[in-house]
Amino acid sequence: MDERERFLADGRAALEWAADYLERVGELPVLAQVEPGEVRARLPAAAPEQPEPFEAVLRDLDEILLPGITHWQHPRYFAYFAVSASRPGVLAELLAAALNPVAILWRTSPASTELEGVVCDWVARLLGLPEGWHGHIEDSASTSTLAALIAARHATGRDLVVCSEHAHSSVEKGARMLGMRLRKVEVDDAFRMRVDGLDLSEAAAVVPTVGTTSTTSVDPVAEVADACARTGTWLHVDAAYAGAAMVCEEHRWAFAGVERADSLVVNAHKWMLTPMDCSLLWTSRPADFRAAFSLIPEYLRTPDAEDALSLNEYGPALGRRFRSLKLWAVLRCHGRSGLQRMIREHVRLAERFEGWVRDEPGWELCAPRPFSVVCFRREGSDADNQAILERVNAGGEIFISHTRLHDSYVLRLAIGSERTTEEDVRRAWDAIRAAAE
Amino acid sequence: MDERERFLADGRAALEWAADYLERVGELPVLAQVEPGEVRARLPAAAPEQPEPFEAVLRDLDEILLPGITHWQHPRYFAYFAVSASRPGVLAELLAAALNPVAILWRTSPASTELEGVVCDWVARLLGLPEGWHGHIEDSASTSTLAALIAARHATGRDLVVCSEHAHSSVEKGARMLGMRLRKVEVDDAFRMRVDGLDLSEAAAVVPTVGTTSTTSVDPVAEVADACARTGTWLHVDAAYAGAAMVCEEHRWAFAGVERADSLVVNAHKWMLTPMDCSLLWTSRPADFRAAFSLIPEYLRTPDAEDALSLNEYGPALGRRFRSLKLWAVLRCHGRSGLQRMIREHVRLAERFEGWVRDEPGWELCAPRPFSVVCFRREGSDADNQAILERVNAGGEIFISHTRLHDSYVLRLAIGSERTTEEDVRRAWDAIRAAAE
């Protein structure tokens, strides 16, 4: 068998493995049923001396790795933020890896560089963002926010970051990594950043969130933008999860003020059907990004540099993989209508679940539900609720996570998988109530 | 057709596209023959309203994107550092995307988290590193070095970074992003960091390079380690390219002193047959990494957190994709012997090319050649050499890059593709000489 034939034979086996997996994932326990160290203990201590066939890799994937996988593609994955790597995105990753362009500069990969700009423009238009923003793709919202804080410090010469106490941990982590100071602002009863008395006079950046991690609350971006305008503070909006919902007009209220942002992050790998990793970072101030990140040594100088955009000049990394291809495939194969349909169905399902909790004696809702995440708890102690979570997750039928609100332990059900049906949400509610008995 | 059947049909089309591409890539012009903006101009301004079939994506990949791809998989790609995404790694990316685990915590993906540790251990052993180092995977060496500088600043409380003037631009960029100061040390005649008079007393970190970007020179790591020992400076070794060569005993001289490093980066996506992105970062001081990066908000607390390793505590990102799977597939399907064979063949080919240059009147070698990169020039002006480079790259038969040494414009030929044969290297030399006439 020549190289091509072997690649096709191995590839067909891999493809069928993936197809079978995606078909049967709903029958597997959602949360990996292994103990720490168990997977590692089943793997050899050294790489093989001689080549092994690819089928050995597939076999061990099944036998050794699969029991240690928590199934993010499962229809009853309801923890953190549920996601889907939809099939066009999965196949595009194969193509991206086969092409393997490394976009250190425009000329080392014009197509991936320009497609990255195009898909960021497409999504910007889908979400109703202003025209002309500069978009590129980072691996995760942590990196996108880190990049924004770097640009903000460079542009303002200040080193204070402000966010609410419900902002994602990546804001605090970013500030700490950069040696910047952090000030956390209190939230109101609906877990939104309080803007009365918000003083940004020393702040390099403020990071309001559209869709916080705990409750998906929406900070008042417009009021924060007003405060920024008074002090020259950089406005970075974290809409990593909820940004995708803006593809539907009825959710656009949550983006009020975002048009005044200096930078914005939305993760396509969260609620936009794209495989990890695909975090979209836009800025209305590309020159400030370029001033913070551009650094061109001799060996990277090219004759086309004046006209061509090299994305390494807008973020931390030099080498960049072809992340735009999967997002392009996803946007084309689902279309705007497909994304809207998914978002609306997920919000509808979350509304259903919210209704069931509201109507059930002994249970309570713990936060407003603007999108597809429901925060709730059993009346009683934190220990009771924690026991419910651990019992239900150990059962393997569903996987949910928790947070802490007003100093109470609160359960979270997050809907975001393209496979989730109303029946799955119903089974979740049954499993949770059963675990409470 | 149901979802599964459509996925299989689309997948077979994608697989065949990839197989054909990898077979015919050597017939395409290496460097994309497009002008800045040309690809973008051929793409629509908005995402489609309705879903399109995947075959439309494949068609446009062929017709619109492919002419704008610079072919890193081409056997005559000799620019920067040549790389290969070998077939097992390509297929593993399909599987990783289908599984799509997001390793924010151990429990959200035990298998990918533990496999990441295992493959880092495997490579550490292949390269002869000390046992017990803690390894994880970042997207690029830029991020790995950034992470190391963050850990170094946190551990030392200092903010000065030291490297040679031939260190990769990512060191300077990292220092700038972090608001740290940078001092560049001169190099000797063989482009190695000068250690006479090296004073690290105020330095948080020093970053010697094993295989610099311009010439692949090797800084004297052992002497730098001596200087670090006197001042408590963090020793971060950048072996992004040349580290892979340590899989062969005859190159281990270049790692002398690396066993005393605090951290080390080697890119598996460079000379280790793995698709972008797979940058391996080891540390002998994991507690210092954890102290710099760990931050666990309530919603990420899990009952297994005491026993289980969550890799977000060792680097900038929280969400982490399944990068270890492709490296695992590559290591198994090539084996140690396969990697050694490739490294030795590339070094042999570079030696051949070096010999041809040495023997040719009117041409000169410009730096020692420890690995697979040859620095050379035509006797004459910088403009002459630049014209040679531009002419030969415009021809599309080969792609080379350049650097500047002792204030002269110098051509670089980098060998690193699994497809490159002696015939390809011979064609490169013929094309370069023809371009000089």
Side-chain angles (χ1 to χ4, degrees), chain A residues 4 20 60 70 107 173, chain B residues 4 20 70 107 312 332:
Chain A
R4 181 174 189 280
D20 290 346
D60 289 349
T70 291
R107 70 158 29 193
K173 188 170 174 177
Chain B
R4 182 176 187 279
D20 289 345
T70 291
R107 69 157 31 194
N312 79 70
R332 294 188 63 179

Side-chain angles (χ1 to χ4, degrees), chain A residues 136-151 168 170-171 173-174 177-178 236 240 263-265 267 269 276-281 289 293 314-317 320 323, chain B residues 138-140 142-143 146 177 315-320 323:
Chain A
H136 77 273
I137 305 178
E138 296 287 352
D139 63 344
S140 67
S142 300
T143 306
S144 292
T145 293
L146 182 72
L149 296 184
I150 291 167
H168 189 260
S170 56
V171 181
K173 188 170 174 177
M177 286 191 283
L178 297 173
H236 174 64
S263 54
L264 165 70
V265 56
N267 283 353
H269 62 247
M276 258 306 273
D277 47 357
C278 197
S279 178
L280 310 187
L281 175 60
F289 265 76
F293 291 107
Y314 295 85
R320 320 183 79 254
R323 293 189 184 110
Chain B
E138 296 288 352
D139 62 344
S140 67
S142 299
T143 306
L146 181 72
M177 286 192 282
L318 174 62
R320 318 183 80 253
R323 294 190 183 110

Side-chain angles (χ1 to χ4, degrees), chain A residues 229-240:
Chain A
R230 289 190 293 272
T231 54
T233 297
W234 186 285
L235 176 60
H236 174 64
V237 178
D238 176 358

Side-chain angles (χ1 to χ4, degrees), chain A residues 3-4 20 37 40 49 52 60 68 70 72-73 87 98 107 111 114 121 173 298 312 315 332 336, chain B residues 3-4 20 37 40 49 52 60 68 70 73 87 98 107-108 111 114 121-122 173 312 315 332 336 402:
Chain A
E3 282 282 321
R4 181 174 189 280
D20 290 346
R40 174 183 268 274
E49 179 64 26
E52 296 181 69
D60 289 349
T70 291
W72 286 71
Q73 298 277 46
R87 291 175 176 86
R107 70 158 29 193
E114 295 189 11
D121 287 356
K173 188 170 174 177
E298 178 61 32
N312 80 69
R332 295 188 62 179
R336 189 169 79 108
Chain B
E3 283 282 321
R4 182 176 187 279
D20 289 345
R40 174 182 269 271
E49 179 65 24
E52 296 181 68
D60 288 349
T70 291
Q73 299 277 47
R87 292 176 175 87
R107 69 157 31 194
T108 69
E114 296 190 10
D121 287 358
W122 284 13
K173 186 169 174 179
N312 79 70
R332 294 188 63 179
R336 189 169 79 108
H402 79 285

